[in-house]
Each structure stands twice: as C-alpha cells, then as structure tokens.
Amino acid sequence: MGAARPRYVLFDVDGTLIDAVANQRQVWHTWARRYGLDPEEVHAVALRTRPTETFAQVAPDRDPDACLAALHDLEDDDVRHGTYTAFDGASALLAALPPGSWALVTSNYEHRVRGRFRRTGLPDPALVVDAATVEEGKPSPMPYLHAAALLGADPHDCLVIEDAPSGVRSGLAAGMTVWGVNTAEPVTGVHRHFASLREAVPYILDFVGRCDGGPLPEKPAHVGT
C-alpha cells in the first residue's frame, strides 16, 4: 500500500471565517449614495457579482475605474475602523491545521484580508488567492484551481469551505469536495451542510487528518445538522 496523499482545505473568507455581512452592506450603501443610486438595489447586485460587474449593471454611464477607486477607499477605511468578528471556531480551526495544508480563496483583496485577520486575532495565512490573483473570479473554478496549484495539491484532495452560491459553484467546477457553513439551509450543490462553522470544525480536521486514501463524495448529498 502506497503512502496516503495529503489533503488540503481552501477557505472562503467573508461569511465563512469572518462575519463581514454588515460591513459589506454598509460599504455598498455608502458607495451607492455617493452616486445617487438606490442602496438596497446596488447591494443586491453586489452580492451576486464582482465589483466591476456590479458597476456595469448599476452605473453603466460611470467611469468604472473611478467607481472602483471609491469602493476601495471605503473598504480600506472599513478595515481600519469597521467592527466585525471571526466566526466561532475559526481561530482554533486554523491554528490546528498543519502548516501548508490550507489557503484562503477570496473575492476581496489580500491586504484587506490580512488586516481583518490581524484585527480579529486569526492566524496569519501563508497563502491568499485574491481578486487580483486570477483573471476570473467565482463562480469560475479558476480561483480554487489556482490555490490548489500553489499548494501542490490535486483538486480531488481539496476541501472547499464556503457560504455563498457563487463560491460553491466555483469549488464544484474545480472538481473539489465542497461543504457549506453558516447558512440556515444548504446551498445548492454542497456535499455537506453545517449551520455554523463551529459545527464543521471537527469534520474539517478529520478530513485533513484522515489518511486512508478513501474516495471523496462523487455527487452532492445534503447533510443537515
């Protein structure tokens, strides 16, 4: 019997490890008001798309570079002054994972993620695949495939932890096992569902520590909590 292959965990950040829902809402509301747009309508679009795609939908007559610069200023200010917390279990989970076995895959930018990690006391990530790293964001499989490549991992040996439909689709398209957390109902497609990150912690650690080479799930099978 050959040596078992190592397994890896790829985490989304906002909504998965860090509770930033209120922050994102406030940032987009402030941005929308600056441009004379309906804050709720803009936020609803922003939840489904990347910023440049949001601008194209809600402000097609505006300079996208100026729109993005204004959004970046607001988000950077939020990193410095906003109030947010890590989800229960996040710090202990990341500290318990073996070095080199996990990475962050986010639609945000690395400097903001690291700033939030420092402010919430989460362990400093060794690898962050952010919006500037790949040409296509979630739901494209590119972000998760790129993270796997940087870790030297086979996609089939990777577990994706997500809370959002676009992230779930991204992980599934990359050929990875995808578990959903922090939602009342399972996101369509997840292989397992946990109402909270805390509930998922022992199972995530077991996934990484299990070295029996057993098969991973072939198709989605919702598992309630």
Side-chain angles (χ1 to χ4, degrees):
M1 180 180 295
R5 297 186 315 209
R7 288 179 170 175
Y8 304 84
V9 188
L10 307 179
F11 294 96
D12 174 51
V13 179
D14 294 336
T16 299
L17 296 173
I18 293 178
D19 186 355
V21 172
N23 304 72
Q24 293 170 332
R25 181 186 182 90
Q26 182 60 46
V27 164
W28 277 108
H29 277 212
T30 302
W31 182 91
R33 285 191 290 269
R34 287 188 180 182
Y35 284 88
L37 302 172
D38 182 278
E40 289 294 343
E41 291 182 5
V42 170
H43 183 239
V45 175
L47 287 173
R48 304 189 304 268
T49 62
R50 302 178 89 186
T52 53
E53 296 162 349
T54 299
F55 306 146
Q57 290 190 42
V58 304
D61 58 333
R62 302 282 186 161
D63 179 359
D65 291 335
C67 290
L68 187 60
L71 181 67
H72 282 177
D73 286 343
L74 292 169
E75 290 186 323
D76 287 342
D77 185 69
D78 174 70
V79 170
R80 293 188 295 268
H81 306 295
T83 301
Y84 43 84
T85 59
F87 282 106
D88 186 29
S91 182
L93 170 60
L94 297 181
L97 288 169
S101 71
W102 61 280
L104 306 181
V105 181
T106 176
S107 298
N108 210 319
Y109 288 85
E110 182 172 359
H111 72 280
R112 294 191 196 112
V113 170
R114 292 190 182 278
R116 288 178 173 179
F117 266 51
R118 286 192 294 269
R119 290 195 60 200
T120 54
L122 292 177
D124 190 46
L127 175 61
V128 180
V129 172
D130 69 351
T133 306
V134 292
E135 295 182 0
E136 297 178 12
K138 305 171 187 178
S140 165
M142 188 177 293
Y144 281 112
L145 288 175
H146 188 64
L150 291 175
L151 288 170
D154 187 302
H156 289 91
D157 295 326
C158 294
L159 170 63
V160 169
I161 305 298
E162 271 280 359
D163 74 301
S166 62
V168 169
R169 294 198 299 273
S170 177
L172 292 173
M176 300 176 181
T177 300
V178 182
W179 292 356
V181 298
N182 298 333
T183 62
E185 298 296 330
V187 175
T188 300
V190 296
H191 294 98
R192 297 193 70 169
H193 165 248
F194 301 89
S196 70
L197 178 66
R198 164 62 72 181
E199 294 175 24
V201 167
Y203 299 94
I204 296 171
L205 293 175
D206 180 66
F207 178 94
V208 175
R210 190 180 66 170
C211 298
D212 57 10
L216 300 181
E218 295 294 333
K219 57 184 178 181
H222 297 315
V223 179
T225 56

